[in-house]
Amino acid sequence: MRSYEIPKRVVLNAFKKVKQNKGAQGIDEESLEKFESRLNDNLYRIWNRMTSGSYFPPAVKAVEIEKKSGGKRLLGVPTVGDRVAQMVAKIYFEPLVEKHFHDDSYGYREGKSAIDAVRITRQRCWENDWVLEFDIKGLFDNIDHELLMKAVRKHVKIPWLILYIKRWLKAPFQYPDGKVEERRKGTPQGGVISPVLANLFMHYTFDKWMERTHPDKPFARYADDGVIHCRTLKDAETLLENLKERLKECKLELHPEKTRIVYCKDDKRKGDYPNTSFDFLGYSFRVRECKSKKGKIFYSFNPAVSNTAKKIMKQTIRRWKLHLKPYLTIEQLSREINPIIRGWINYYGHFRKSEMYTVLCNLNRALVKWVISKYKKLRGLVRAGKWLGCLARREPNLFIHWKMGIFYATG
């Protein structure tokens, strides 16, 4: 007799999703390839333990990564087997809570994207003079387990699902030096089920609270990052104090350096205020020169790729060290970097694509250095640049950004 009913096909489907998402090795150093080499045995063991109630998640591998804004973030990397088990739970859990989530919650949700959040934020900045930009300090690290489980039990009546979510919340961190750290709060950023748990927590902590107490102030939230639109400065100041109190009740706090009130200054908004721009999801919102269909110049509050995002992309190009890869052909080089360039353009090219040009010209400069390293007869920036420009006109499909007509290494 099985304590819990979980079909074997669900476990197999869970593995397929985990494989598609890829991911690093956990504390057991077992790769996806090694796990798959004994797939039937591994999946049977997970199914057997989950259905009998005897599944206990192993410790989560603690990995520090660099944050885009500086500093480091602690990721928790589960083993491949544990990711499969978490995916089984997510397959059951997500449909139970997803249908209740707010329309303006955009993070980690199928059918919603960061670009959707940027687009609606642009529209609302045109309609409202003020924005409260906020960021929650260490959301994934500080979620209160008791409050979270209260929300879980509100929507979940499946005993095994509640049991395993509790166990995943308590799974300890294991550091590279072997040190094991017990956890009494938070859900590891890097876990399969963590994003939906964080969204559920924020659904009651923020989304429903805003709906109940400030229904006249539209917002867009992407996990722990968000913006709220206000009609007046007084409204924004009052909201900021109310939000601090609300988060304190839920054992969270605002990030002091990433939370502020912003005036959406443009042609029609003439007043002064210290903050007239903000960054949200890699885009910088501020007043920008625009041209009407009739050619008239005006100034509007609009998003474009942020300076921080451009800096990160340029750093990535430098890390490629293309000039040290003369052994590659130009076709091999394009296959290696095109997927990344395509991702940048697809994301940051939605609004004012021309702001991407400095980054793409920077890439061309890196390609010129590769040409100099590759061909002795083309030594010198001018000669190599002309050769690359001719190639770009002859074969514009070779690199994604060449299709946009960006052939030169200037800018």
Side-chain angles (χ1 to χ4, degrees):
M1 292 291 292
R2 295 282 165 187
S3 300
Y4 306 117
E5 191 65 37
I6 303 172
K8 291 180 180 178
R9 59 177 170 77
V10 176
V11 183
L12 177 60
N13 289 339
F15 168 75
K16 290 177 180 178
K17 290 177 181 288
V18 167
K19 183 180 179 181
Q20 187 176 6
N21 294 337
K22 300 181 181 179
Q25 301 170 1
I27 59 167
D28 59 0
E29 300 298 324
E30 183 177 46
S31 65
L32 267 166
E33 292 75 20
K34 187 175 179 182
F35 184 91
E36 193 172 15
S37 68
R38 298 184 67 248
L39 185 62
N40 289 338
D41 290 344
N42 285 329
L43 294 186
Y44 178 82
R45 184 172 66 253
I46 292 169
W47 171 82
N48 186 47
R49 290 178 180 175
M50 291 190 77
T51 55
S52 66
S54 62
Y55 181 80
F56 286 88
V60 177
K61 184 178 181 180
V63 178
E64 285 188 333
I65 63 167
E66 298 290 334
K67 294 171 67 174
K68 292 180 180 180
S69 56
K72 294 184 177 180
R73 172 184 288 118
L74 188 67
L75 285 186
V77 182
T79 63
V80 176
D82 194 42
R83 293 208 297 275
V84 173
Q86 287 191 40
M87 187 63 78
V88 171
K90 184 183 177 183
I91 289 170
Y92 283 88
F93 179 55
E94 194 166 42
L96 297 176
V97 295
E98 168 65 30
K99 59 188 176 185
H100 298 286
F101 288 165
H102 198 282
D103 284 343
D104 282 314
S105 168
Y106 293 90
Y108 313 117
R109 297 182 65 190
E110 190 173 341
K112 288 184 177 289
S113 70
I115 291 300
D116 293 331
V118 173
R119 184 176 290 110
I120 193 66
T121 297
R122 178 182 65 164
Q123 179 65 39
R124 288 167 177 170
C125 284
W126 294 340
E127 298 167 353
N128 299 271
D129 291 355
W130 298 88
V131 160
L132 172 57
E133 173 194 12
F134 72 92
D135 184 279
I136 296 170
K137 189 175 180 180
L139 171 62
F140 283 85
D141 297 331
N142 293 301
I143 288 175
D144 182 82
H145 288 176
E146 187 176 336
L147 291 175
L148 175 57
M149 287 309 302
K150 182 179 178 181
V152 169
R153 291 188 184 95
K154 179 179 175 67
H155 297 284
V156 177
K157 306 304 176 187
I158 305 172
W160 66 263
L161 198 46
I162 296 172
L163 173 69
Y164 293 134
I165 287 174
K166 287 174 66 177
R167 288 180 183 174
W168 277 310
L169 291 176
K170 293 178 180 178
F173 273 131
Q174 182 169 319
Y175 291 85
D177 61 1
K179 175 188 172 185
V180 176
E181 181 183 277
E182 298 298 321
R183 292 193 302 112
R184 293 179 175 82
K185 61 180 180 178
T187 178
Q189 192 166 358
V192 171
I193 203 167
S194 292
V196 66
L197 288 173
N199 262 342
L200 178 63
F201 191 82
M202 287 303 297
H203 175 70
Y204 287 105
T205 296
F206 177 78
D207 302 351
K208 294 295 287 183
W209 175 79
M210 280 293 298
E211 194 177 78
R212 186 175 66 254
T213 61
H214 296 275
D216 59 325
K217 298 177 182 65
F219 67 87
R221 181 181 63 80
Y222 197 98
D224 55 354
D225 194 8
V227 292
I228 312 170
H229 303 269
C230 302
R231 295 287 184 183
T232 68
L233 174 58
K234 184 178 179 181
D235 285 346
E237 290 171 338
T238 301
L239 175 59
L240 176 55
E241 294 306 312
N242 291 346
L243 182 55
K244 287 178 181 177
E245 288 300 315
R246 173 57 181 173
L247 292 180
K248 187 177 180 181
E249 290 173 4
C250 299
K251 303 180 182 180
L252 295 175
E253 63 178 308
L254 291 171
H255 195 297
E257 297 172 6
K258 299 179 181 179
T259 300
R260 59 190 185 140
I261 295 170
V262 177
Y263 183 43
C264 304
K265 191 172 183 178
D266 60 15
D267 267 349
K268 298 177 181 178
R269 297 159 175 160
K270 302 297 184 182
D272 291 322
Y273 193 74
N275 304 321
T276 55
S277 69
F278 67 90
D279 286 2
F280 183 45
L281 300 175
Y283 277 86
S284 182
F285 287 75
R286 63 173 176 83
V287 64
R288 300 178 189 277
E289 185 180 287
C290 302
K291 186 182 289 187
S292 70
K293 292 180 180 179
K294 296 182 179 180
K296 183 180 178 181
I297 299 296
F298 66 99
Y299 293 87
S300 180
F301 201 81
N302 274 293
V305 58
S306 71
N307 288 335
T308 301
K310 286 192 279 190
K311 181 180 177 181
I312 291 168
M313 286 185 277
K314 289 176 181 179
Q315 288 172 342
T316 301
I317 292 169
R318 282 198 295 273
R319 283 198 300 269
W320 288 342
K321 297 181 178 179
L322 300 185
H323 62 287
L324 298 181
K325 299 180 179 180
Y327 52 87
L328 295 178
T329 66
I330 192 77
E331 291 80 13
Q332 290 171 329
L333 207 59
S334 71
R335 285 195 295 270
E336 185 176 298
I337 68 175
N338 264 341
I340 300 169
I341 305 304
R342 182 184 292 109
W344 288 348
I345 294 172
N346 286 348
Y347 184 76
Y348 294 110
H350 273 273
F351 305 96
R352 299 182 77 95
K353 187 183 290 186
S354 60
E355 292 288 333
M356 283 283 295
Y357 287 4
T358 56
V359 173
L360 300 175
C361 287
N362 187 271
L363 173 59
N364 279 343
R365 283 197 291 274
L367 289 172
V368 167
K369 291 179 181 178
W370 174 85
V371 172
I372 292 171
S373 178
K374 177 81 172 176
Y375 303 107
K376 292 181 180 179
K377 293 181 179 180
L378 296 174
R379 296 288 163 87
L381 292 174
V382 174
R383 186 177 296 177
K386 286 182 178 179
W387 182 88
L388 194 70
C390 290
L391 177 65
R393 290 181 181 84
R394 192 169 65 250
E395 298 186 46
N397 293 327
L398 194 57
F399 290 95
I400 299 298
H401 64 296
W402 286 359
K403 294 181 182 180
M404 298 166 59
I406 304 173
F407 303 145
Y408 300 102
T410 59

